[in-house]
Amino acid sequence: MTAVLMLSVLQGCSVSAREENGAQDKKQKDQGTPQSITIAIESDVPTLHPFDHKSVTAGYMNALTYNCLFRLNTDTLDPEPDLCSGYEALSDTCWRFELEEGVRFHDGSLVTSEDVVASMEYAASFAQASDYASFWNRMETDGEGAVIITPEKPYAMILNDLASIKIIPKALIDSGNDFNLNPIGTGPYVFEEYVLGDRLAFTAFEDYFDSEHMPSIKKLVWRIIPEGFSRTIALETGEIDVIIEPDANDITRMEQNPSITVLEKEGTRLNFLTVNTEKKPFDNLYFRKALNAAIDKRAVLEVALNGRGSASVSQLPSVFEGCSEKGCGEYDVEAAREYLQMSGYAGKTVIFSCYVYNDTARRTAEVIQACLYEIGVEMMIEQLDYTAYLSEVLREIMRPPFQAIRLQALTGIFTAFTIPIR
Amino acid sequence: MARIKDDYVDDMLERAKEEPGQEERAAIYNELCRYLNECMVYIPLYQSTVIRACSERLGGLM
């Protein structure tokens, strides 16, 4: 969702230039839109591949270079047609999708139904895409301009899932193109440059098919600035134009700066401590309940995010349909001690390590560490950079057996991981 | 992520995927959520807001 929001912002932008930005910006001011903007993100981008990741930052880049048959409405999150010009359900399990005519990939080739079928089959070959790219039983072209997709059973989420499957050229799939290095799609921006650990650059795609969402900014530069205060200073000095993830500790300062605009809105992001329920002591329900009851979530929120958000007492974000807080339990140290007693771990030495990859997660972990110490559970904290986390921790956690506990946001903002329990 | 293996959870997720009615699907998710709350498959902490900051140069952006 964050990637969708960012893209809509860039496409819809109308801008007033700042006077001291020189001749180039004077020209931009006259035109009403800058030719180039620089956006800061905290983490490096692990890949530009459309399917081989679950990374939020990679999702930002994917939103620039690719389109899907559907996209999610930025306000309602309802799916709406993107590369699809129309669709109908032929039966409970058979759907026909018409393609927009005359859409071109960045390499100049036209999008056909064969590209759609090939993209979906290609997506299904990646484990990271399996949750949205494996719902169909049969798929076929219907001429050059339509595809027929047949799930095995009635499938209510079909349009949502199609909003995640990026359409890429069949010819490039067949030739073994590395989409991480050469991300060719139909998206509003063409990949230009990646400097490891420093920046990425994109230029507007002049042949972009969607006239209503034509990119008005000609060049986007994404700067990777891991340290939160450095991002703040870069924005204050004009080195960058946008911060995607401002550090919570700096937001009040930025709100007081008349040269900076801060946007805050409710999101779908639920941050949680994930435990491997297959491993001791996390396989023990009462031990998990003890952890939940021992953690002062309001304190976590205050320290980690300066109170911006809400403490969570559900396994789903409150904005999700069907969310319930029933049965989750509140912060209650005495109850935590009772649960620990019931788990059989009371009085025993329980130590585990928790890996974090950004400052917010580290602050979160520090509060949790103090809370758990109150009930006799020791949690150590180790910080990794994002790339190391993804390459070592996430890949490790994806293959059995593993032994871990993770701090994880549903949208992947931060993660921690534990290793051995002594 | 929590490596939970539970036939009831799998069944509820499958039912939700096949249910075309929004309200009916929400009811399934509600039941599932209450079950997961009891199981405490992970420890929920907080919901963060979406925050962006930009310079006045992009005045129309926000």
Side-chain angles (χ1 to χ4, degrees):
Chain A
M1 179 189 177
T2 48
V4 174
L5 281 175
M6 191 60 222
L7 184 59
S8 70
V9 156
L10 295 173
Q11 290 169 337
C13 176
S14 74
V15 182
S16 63
R18 191 167 54 190
E19 289 180 4
E20 61 266 32
N21 275 355
Q24 179 65 23
D25 275 3
K26 183 175 186 308
K27 183 180 176 185
Q28 291 165 2
K29 182 178 180 180
D30 294 340
Q31 294 173 345
T33 301
Q35 295 299 298
S36 171
I37 67 170
T38 302
I39 305 161
I41 49 177
E42 68 170 0
S43 305
D44 203 351
V45 178
T47 180
L48 298 173
H49 197 281
F51 304 120
D52 194 16
H53 70 86
K54 286 196 176 299
S55 160
V56 174
T57 52
Y60 296 150
M61 308 308 148
N62 286 172
L64 298 176
T65 52
Y66 304 110
N67 291 95
C68 307
L69 289 184
F70 287 79
R71 63 175 166 233
L72 298 183
N73 181 287
T74 53
D75 293 319
T76 65
L77 294 184
D78 288 331
E80 54 190 29
D82 195 2
L83 289 177
C84 169
S85 62
Y87 64 101
E88 61 179 325
L90 303 176
S91 72
D92 284 350
T93 58
C94 187
W95 296 69
R96 183 177 185 277
F97 299 92
E98 291 266 356
L99 307 183
E100 286 279 357
E101 292 182 7
V103 179
R104 291 191 182 277
F105 290 111
H106 298 161
D107 65 0
S109 61
L110 281 168
V111 177
T112 70
S113 54
E114 288 195 350
D115 296 311
V116 175
V117 170
S119 298
M120 293 182 65
E121 289 174 342
Y122 184 60
S125 70
F126 290 89
Q128 304 271 29
S130 61
D131 54 343
Y132 59 79
S134 58
F135 62 85
W136 62 87
N137 188 41
R138 204 173 67 244
M139 188 168 39
E140 57 195 305
T141 60
D142 185 13
E144 282 205 344
V147 292
I148 295 175
I149 301 172
T150 310
E152 189 172 353
K153 296 181 284 189
Y155 188 60
M157 308 307 292
I158 185 169
L159 304 186
N160 293 71
D161 284 2
L162 289 174
S164 294
I165 301 174
K166 296 89 180 173
I167 306 305
I168 52 181
K170 178 178 186 297
L172 290 184
I173 297 172
D174 292 345
S175 67
N177 178 62
D178 185 344
F179 285 92
N180 176 33
L181 301 174
N182 186 35
I184 299 292
T186 58
Y189 283 88
V190 179
F191 171 68
E192 182 181 297
E193 177 190 36
Y194 171 51
V195 179
L196 181 67
D198 183 51
R199 68 182 184 276
L200 300 96
F202 298 83
T203 51
F205 182 32
E206 293 184 354
D207 291 330
Y208 188 53
F209 77 100
D210 187 349
S211 57
E212 284 184 26
H213 297 93
M214 281 296 287
S216 54
I217 299 165
K218 299 305 177 194
K219 181 166 183 172
L220 300 180
V221 178
W222 296 70
R223 288 277 317 281
I224 300 148
I225 306 178
E227 208 277 314
F229 189 59
S230 298
R231 290 195 297 278
T232 301
I233 294 296
L235 182 63
E236 289 175 348
T237 58
E239 182 184 340
I240 62 170
D241 301 296
V242 182
I243 303 177
I244 292 290
E245 288 149 344
D247 192 294
N249 287 343
D250 295 337
I251 291 172
T252 302
R253 168 191 174 121
M254 288 191 279
E255 285 175 331
Q256 293 168 348
N257 185 334
S259 299
I260 294 174
T261 303
V262 176
L263 169 73
E264 182 173 14
K265 63 186 293 187
E266 187 179 25
T268 60
R269 184 174 292 164
L270 172 64
N271 301 271
F272 52 87
L273 183 69
T274 307
V275 296
N276 180 350
T277 60
E278 293 180 338
K279 297 290 181 182
K280 294 182 183 300
F282 308 114
D283 61 340
N284 186 309
L285 171 63
Y286 294 113
F287 186 80
R288 299 197 299 271
K289 284 180 175 282
L291 296 184
N292 181 62
I295 296 171
D296 182 349
K297 295 165 187 176
R298 286 184 177 79
V300 170
L301 185 66
E302 277 301 321
V303 173
L305 290 180
N306 237 344
R308 290 177 181 272
S310 57
S312 182
V313 283
S314 175
Q315 301 275 316
L316 288 180
S318 60
V319 295
F320 277 25
E321 293 279 354
C323 175
S324 170
E325 296 183 352
K326 192 173 181 182
C328 200
E330 299 277 351
Y331 169 55
D332 185 336
V333 177
E334 283 310 308
R337 292 196 174 101
E338 287 174 23
Y339 282 132
L340 199 61
Q341 195 72 38
M342 293 162 73
S343 74
Y345 284 101
K348 295 182 180 177
T349 301
V350 180
I351 305 174
F352 56 88
S353 294
C354 179
Y355 285 71
V356 298
Y357 78 77
N358 67 15
D359 293 341
T360 305
R362 183 181 46 73
R363 294 194 295 267
T364 299
E366 286 169 353
V367 178
I368 293 172
Q369 181 184 52
C371 291
L372 297 186
Y373 187 76
E374 288 292 309
I375 62 166
V377 174
E378 189 172 339
M379 186 180 87
M380 295 181 292
I381 303 167
E382 297 186 41
Q383 188 157 349
L384 301 173
D385 66 45
Y386 186 54
T387 305
Y389 159 73
L390 285 177
S391 63
E392 296 183 26
V393 178
L394 192 55
R395 288 189 192 286
E396 179 66 19
I397 206 167
M398 293 293 282
R399 65 180 169 81
F402 73 100
Q403 185 171 359
I405 176 170
R406 311 192 321 132
L407 267 172
Q408 165 72 30
L410 271 178
T411 48
I413 276 294
F414 61 81
T415 305
F417 182 80
T418 71
I419 313 204
I421 297 155
R422 297 191 296 236
Chain B
M1 291 290 189
R3 307 300 297 263
I4 184 172
K5 289 178 184 171
D6 190 309
D7 290 341
Y8 177 74
V9 173
D10 290 344
D11 180 57
M12 293 294 280
L13 288 172
E14 283 303 311
R15 278 179 54 197
K17 283 181 185 175
E18 293 173 27
E19 174 54 63
Q22 189 87 352
E23 286 186 16
E24 292 82 355
R25 198 158 62 241
I28 295 170
Y29 285 134
N30 181 266
E31 190 177 333
L32 178 59
C33 185
R34 283 186 281 124
Y35 179 78
L36 292 172
N37 286 347
E38 291 289 348
C39 295
M40 196 56 65
V41 293
Y42 53 78
I43 318 300
L45 297 173
Y46 55 83
Q47 289 181 220
S48 48
T49 52
V50 177
I51 303 176
R52 306 285 183 254
C54 76
S55 73
E56 64 173 344
R57 196 165 80 93
L58 307 183
L61 188 143
M62 297 181 179

